[in-house]
Amino acid sequence: MAERVNNFPPLPRFAPRFLKPCFYQNVEEEIPPPHRQLVRRVYNLWILYSATLCVNVVSCIAWWAGGGSGVNFGLSLLWLILFSPCSYTCWFRPLYKAFRADSSFNFMAFFFVCFLQCVLVIIQAVGISGWGACGWIATVMFFSYNVGSAVVMLFSALLFSLVAVLMVLALYRVHRLYRGGGGSMQRAQEEWSSGAWKSASAREAGFNAISVSGPSLPQYPAAVPSYPESGPW
């Protein structure tokens, strides 16, 4: 099998040599065909959330310029720097590895972290003042102070609401797919106890199976669920 070179995140050519991509990501090569569309949609959801955090920074600048607190701008910048990469590594990446290697442990990691992220996004959509998020409460209340700033803030409130709804749909879709294939917490605990979730030999065997037989899930015992094909959201 040809050596895989990390390709994500893509870096510009002028980036210093010591900066290199951290992950290898290739949906066409590593994800079974029935699940590629779902994985792409969750990836696009991560991109949308990162873009929402960028818009939120701009909205907090408008909030500050209109007479709001500068603390919100500082926190919005912190959320962008913190949650944009962490959301990729903590809930999209486990989902990617779960479909790539049929890993119950990674499915559980996705459910747990994505659920917490969804709760946080709902709080950001609500828009409590002083939390660094231009949600509905902060936006509606600011219309009486500065209409121009409030209109800019409205974009963040709408995007946070959209992201929250899509996260709920993603959790529901993946959970239904996982449970429909016979997945359970017990299987995740067994993977944790046996160390199969971090076994280099198991991952290598899985990659070899993919490279030999094409983009399909590696062979597992009969107890491992065969996930049904992805349907519409």
Side-chain angles (χ1 to χ4, degrees), residues 57-74:
V57 172
V58 177
S59 297
C60 284
I61 293 175
W63 192 2
W64 189 12
S69 173
V71 174
N72 292 301
F73 167 69

Side-chain angles (χ1 to χ4, degrees), residues 113-177:
V113 179
C114 192
F115 173 76
L116 294 180
Q117 182 82 78
C118 184
V119 172
L120 176 62
V121 173
I122 292 174
I123 294 174
Q124 291 174 317
V126 170
I128 303 173
S129 181
W131 282 52
C134 295
W136 289 105
I137 294 178
T139 300
V140 171
M141 292 182 63
F142 210 69
F143 266 102
S144 60
Y145 295 95
N146 191 309
V147 176
S149 296
V151 170
V152 176
M153 294 166 63
L154 185 62
F155 287 99
S156 289
L158 290 170
L159 285 173
F160 277 128
S161 301
L162 177 62
V163 170
V165 171
L166 292 179
M167 278 188 174
V168 171
L169 290 175
L171 281 167
Y172 170 76
R173 185 73 189 95
V174 175
H175 183 264
R176 192 175 74 167
L177 187 67

